[in-house]
Amino acid sequence: MPRRPVLAECKICGGSATVKHHRATGANGRVYFYEVFVHRNGTSHYFRSGGVSGRRESMSTFQEIVDRRMNNGKYRFKEIKSLLESIRGTKVSNTNVHRNLERAMRSNLVQRKTENGIILYSKRVKDVSESRRRITQAIMTLSISDAGIAMTTLLRFDNDSEESLKGLTFTMPVGSLNNLHEIDLEIFDHLGKISKSELQIAYSYAGQTGILINFNRHIGPSESGFLFIENSFKTRDSELKVVLPLDVGSLRIHVTGHRERRVSIRKRLLDGIKETYPDYITRGSLVNDRVFTEAEFENASKGDTIVISLEPKGH
């Protein structure tokens, strides 16, 4: 009986796809085994078992651009795309460039700024004090229904560095967005609601949007603070991804939904390849055919991605 295709991350482009297994016989009689990643738009990517992941190669190439080519310059998106194509020797898609830029920003390799209405990317000078800023506790709650997803997030953090913490970038599992008016979003700190004028889209592509949040008041050295983020959205994606903006001491995730969907929660490390499962997880039943899944992670790192998969039972 043939294997049923399952949802996975494409090893060529990094996008979501169903994966099937395929074998082929070469002219020399040798048998080759492939994983076939089929995307929603009909595109298929073939990855030969034992080969080098195209995604790893792409990440390595982009690292070379940051280390050797960017120097102290500022580059538009199309200029970075040209650099990537010149090194690889082949055409690359805008999606591929967006993903690499987003990973580089999460890793503190690249920063994004708008000057005179033009978005520019530059190599980021590492701030040694950043390692002394951390989220002590993060609680995310997601309620999933036919109407969409309601999500609340509480972040408590300490600033033990010698510089003020002006804000941070929080990733929402929805995109692509042209502006923040496309979603219901409210954010509060200890002084109250943060004005929409203090919120800016840092990046946005399919399934992820990074929002730069400026606090009502900067968090000074040796001070603590919090953010409460409330938003709702609709998505057809079977995976929800949230990138951690700082190191996290304790992370708790609570998901409620219909019993016909199975919830899987895992942590994808900064390299984008290795995954780990929660230190603690529990499931239970609620009223009206709804169920809950609660998971906890300890000592997650900045740039790690929390992946919440929503799959029909039986898949």
Side-chain angles (χ1 to χ4, degrees):
M1 180 180 294
R3 296 182 181 179
R4 176 182 295 173
V6 297
L7 193 67
E9 185 174 10
C10 179
K11 293 181 180 178
I12 301 300
C13 70
S16 178
T18 54
V19 60
K20 298 182 291 186
H21 296 272
H22 175 73
R23 58 183 293 171
T25 304
N28 58 0
R30 184 176 179 180
V31 177
Y32 297 92
F33 295 91
Y34 293 87
E35 290 176 288
V36 185
F37 295 88
V38 183
H39 298 272
R40 289 181 179 177
N41 62 3
T43 302
S44 296
H45 289 151
Y46 287 75
F47 176 75
R48 196 174 79 188
S49 299
V52 178
S53 168
R55 185 174 174 207
R56 288 192 186 189
E57 180 185 359
S58 178
M59 289 165 56
S60 176
T61 303
F62 201 83
Q63 180 76 46
E64 181 180 346
I65 289 177
V66 175
D67 290 342
R68 301 183 181 182
R69 301 293 185 93
M70 294 188 74
N71 297 320
N72 296 321
K74 299 178 181 180
Y75 299 84
R76 297 190 184 191
F77 178 89
K78 64 180 181 180
E79 294 171 330
I80 293 177
K81 182 178 179 181
S82 296
L83 283 173
L84 188 59
E85 289 177 338
S86 67
I87 292 177
R88 297 188 64 178
T90 59
K91 293 287 185 180
V92 297
S93 67
N94 288 342
T95 301
N96 183 289
V97 181
H98 273 298
R99 287 193 177 116
N100 278 286
L101 279 170
E102 192 273 333
R103 290 191 192 101
M105 286 189 289
R106 286 193 342 231
S107 305
N108 277 338
L109 299 175
V110 170
Q111 61 184 352
R112 176 181 187 251
K113 292 185 177 180
T114 301
E115 297 183 4
N116 299 321
I118 299 174
I119 297 175
L120 299 172
Y121 299 90
S122 58
K123 187 175 180 180
R124 195 173 190 280
V125 178
K126 291 186 177 180
D127 180 0
V128 295
S129 67
E130 286 186 350
S131 61
R132 303 186 66 182
R133 300 167 179 168
R134 68 193 303 266
I135 295 172
T136 55
Q137 182 185 43
I139 302 173
M140 290 190 291
T141 302
L142 295 93
S143 177
I144 302 168
S145 66
D146 293 337
I149 298 175
M151 179 175 175
T152 59
T153 305
L154 174 64
L155 305 176
R156 299 184 183 276
F157 43 82
D158 291 337
N159 181 17
D160 292 329
S161 70
E162 297 178 356
E163 298 181 7
S164 295
L165 179 60
K166 301 177 181 179
L168 53 79
T169 299
F170 178 76
T171 300
M172 290 180 48
V174 62
S176 300
L177 301 180
N178 293 316
N179 60 69
L180 293 177
H181 297 295
E182 299 178 44
I183 56 174
D184 293 324
L185 174 66
E186 290 189 331
I187 303 178
F188 303 81
D189 64 10
H190 66 287
L191 290 185
K193 185 176 179 179
I194 295 178
S195 169
K196 291 289 179 68
S197 63
E198 297 300 323
L199 309 178
Q200 178 184 347
I201 294 179
Y203 55 85
S204 186
Y205 55 83
Q208 288 192 55
T209 298
I211 300 175
L212 177 60
I213 305 168
N214 293 314
F215 301 150
N216 283 320
R217 184 180 72 82
H218 298 172
I219 307 302
S222 301
E223 290 185 344
S224 299
F226 76 87
L227 278 181
F228 181 77
I229 304 168
E230 188 173 34
N231 59 285
S232 59
F233 54 91
K234 292 184 178 181
T235 180
R236 294 183 178 179
D237 293 334
S238 57
E239 284 191 346
L240 307 176
K241 301 176 182 178
V242 179
V243 181
L244 302 180
L246 294 171
D247 291 346
V248 179
S250 174
L251 171 61
R252 181 183 300 170
I253 303 160
H254 188 89
V255 183
T256 59
H258 197 273
R259 67 172 63 253
E260 292 302 316
R261 282 191 174 271
R262 181 180 181 276
V263 175
S264 172
I265 302 174
R266 58 197 187 276
K267 179 176 65 175
R268 186 170 296 156
L269 304 189
L270 186 58
D271 62 9
I273 300 171
K274 185 178 179 181
E275 294 183 345
T276 63
Y277 287 91
D279 299 295
Y280 166 83
I281 190 166
T282 185
R283 306 177 192 273
S285 298
L286 302 171
V287 298
N288 299 326
D289 287 330
R290 290 180 66 80
V291 296
F292 72 87
T293 301
E294 187 173 76
E296 291 186 21
F297 293 91
E298 297 293 337
N299 299 319
S301 298
K302 177 179 179 178
D304 288 349
T305 302
I306 301 303
V307 182
I308 303 171
S309 297
L310 310 172
E311 302 173 358
K313 284 191 174 179
H315 283 231

